[in-house]
């Protein structure tokens, strides 16, 4: 019987692509989401989940649930026997976190605390956590490896990721039967090659490529470039972009790593290649990964180049000019 994996925030951009990879790898995902960054489809199921069911000709169990709802979370764990949890749920906009820090601390930290405590109560001891390269703060050296100092975060979003990492690390030290993989992402972009699922920001996009795509499709008038005096070659920001499908496959590799009773492990998921980026409030000038540890210990390496990321992004945007609110993709 297929192992059940709880996917929190599984209707969102990265979570939905991981749901695809989980199913294709033979797992049975159970998805929870509170629709904070997802479009509601028929039968109160996220449109992204409907699309995955169509794509893979399968049924996916979905529950509308906010992780701040401790009682609802307890009910879910009583109903299911999960082998592991993939934790994506949380607020994730750097600029917004600078404007609304208390909201980010309340939502991201409380939700994660609830999840860890309910997992402990129900003896679910395997976790893959969606962290971020923002935990590194201003780079002290490039490329950034996992030994780079953390905690000098330049925005509240990054601080919440850092604090959650610390909670998980401390819990794994206290509870020796726990295993966790903390994945630090470097700027995921692109979309599934089917064009059925992709990034659909609710409101003004906080990331560069979705904004560019929305300008190109005619949803937004123009792209404004702010800042040309950063300490980089051309004065603009530098980032490491990674295809979201490569990222999702890294989560599957991490699930397999948990089987080794690995304790708490940290891995960068990136390509190690620096690219142009446009800066927003609370951001830093340059940030790109040294992903060799993930290749060595997880057997994972990013496969898709920047051109493929852009081709897949444009296919998604072209087929879905207004995102998931189109309903069925054309």
């Amino acid at each position: 019987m297929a192992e059940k994996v709880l996917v929190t925030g599984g209707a969102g951009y990265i979570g939905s692509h991981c749901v695809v990879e989980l199913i294709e790898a033979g797992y049975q995902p159970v998805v929870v989401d509170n629709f904070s960054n997802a479009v509601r489809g028929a039968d109160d199921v996220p449109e992204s989940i409907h699309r995955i069911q169509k794509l893979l000709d399968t049924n996916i169990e979905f529950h509308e649930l906010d992780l701040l709802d401790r009682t609802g979370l307890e009910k879910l764990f009583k109903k299911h026997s999960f082998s592991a949890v993939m934790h994506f749920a949380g607020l994730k906009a750097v600029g917004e976190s600078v404007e609304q820090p208390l909201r980010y601390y309340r939502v991201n930290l409380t939700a994660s605390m609830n999840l860890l405590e309910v997992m402990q109560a129900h003896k679910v001891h395997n976790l893959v956590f969606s962290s971020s390269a923002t935990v590194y703060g201003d780079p002290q050296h490039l490329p950034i490896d996992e030994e780079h100092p953390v905690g000098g975060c330049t925005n509240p979003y990054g601080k919440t990721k850092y604090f959650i990492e610390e909670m998980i690390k401390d819990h794994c030290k206290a509870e020796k039967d726990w295993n966790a993989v903390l994945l630090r992402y470097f700027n995921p972009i692109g979309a599934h090659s089917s064009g059925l699922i992709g990034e659909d920001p609710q409101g003004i996009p906080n990331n560069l490529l979705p904004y560019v795509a929305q300008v190109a499709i005619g949803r937004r008038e123009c792209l404004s470039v702010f800042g040309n005096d950063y300490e980089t070659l051309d004065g603009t920001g530098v980032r490491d972009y990674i295809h979201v499908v490569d990222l999702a496959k890294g989560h599957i590799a991490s699930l397999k790593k948990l089987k080794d009773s690995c304790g708490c492990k940290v891995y960068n998921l990136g390509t190690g290649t620096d690219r142009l980026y446009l800066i927003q409030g609370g951001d830093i000038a340059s940030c790109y990964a040294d992903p060799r540890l993930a290749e060595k210990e997880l057997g994972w390496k990013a496969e898709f180049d920047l051109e493929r990321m852009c081709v897949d992004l444009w296919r998604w945007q072209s087929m879905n000019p207004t995102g998931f609110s189109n309903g069925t993709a054309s």
Side-chain angles (χ1 to χ4, degrees), residues 3 13 24 33 48 85 107 125 132 167 192 196-197 214 221 249 258 287 291 311 324:
E3 293 181 35
Y13 175 44
E24 292 189 329
D33 203 288
S48 58
V85 175
V107 171
H125 297 160
S132 168
M167 285 195 289
H192 192 270
L196 289 176
I197 60 172
Q214 289 189 10
E221 184 177 354
K249 289 178 178 177
L258 295 173
C287 184
V311 167
F324 287 118

Side-chain angles (χ1 to χ4, degrees), residues 16 22 29 41 51 55 94 104 109 113 115 148 170 178 196 203-204 224 226 230 241 258 268 277 285 290 298 300:
S16 62
L22 280 166
R51 302 258 188 115
L55 174 68
V94 168
Y104 269 68
L109 299 183
M113 183 77 75
L115 179 64
H148 187 286
D170 288 342
W178 267 68
L196 289 176
I204 299 173
S224 299
F226 299 99
Y230 290 92
Y241 290 108
L258 295 173
N268 290 337
Y277 179 77
D290 179 346
L298 299 180
W300 173 90

Side-chain angles (χ1 to χ4, degrees), residues 27-89:
Y27 294 93
Q28 182 181 347
V30 175
V31 176
V32 299
D33 203 288
N34 68 353
F35 289 98
S36 65
N37 203 34
V39 172
R40 192 180 298 272
D43 304 316
D44 286 329
V45 172
E47 181 61 26
S48 58
I49 301 302
H50 277 299
R51 302 258 188 115
I52 296 169
Q53 291 180 142
K54 174 185 175 183
L55 174 68
L56 300 181
D57 190 24
T58 189
N59 292 314
I60 299 169
E61 183 172 341
F62 171 77
H63 297 270
E64 182 175 353
L65 180 66
D66 191 315
L67 297 188
L68 299 180
D69 176 5
R70 176 69 175 260
T71 302
L73 197 56
E74 289 276 6
K75 288 180 181 177
L76 186 70
F77 273 78
K78 287 176 182 176
K79 180 180 178 182
H80 292 286
S81 179
F82 296 116
S83 65
V85 175
M86 283 188 178
H87 181 30
F88 300 97

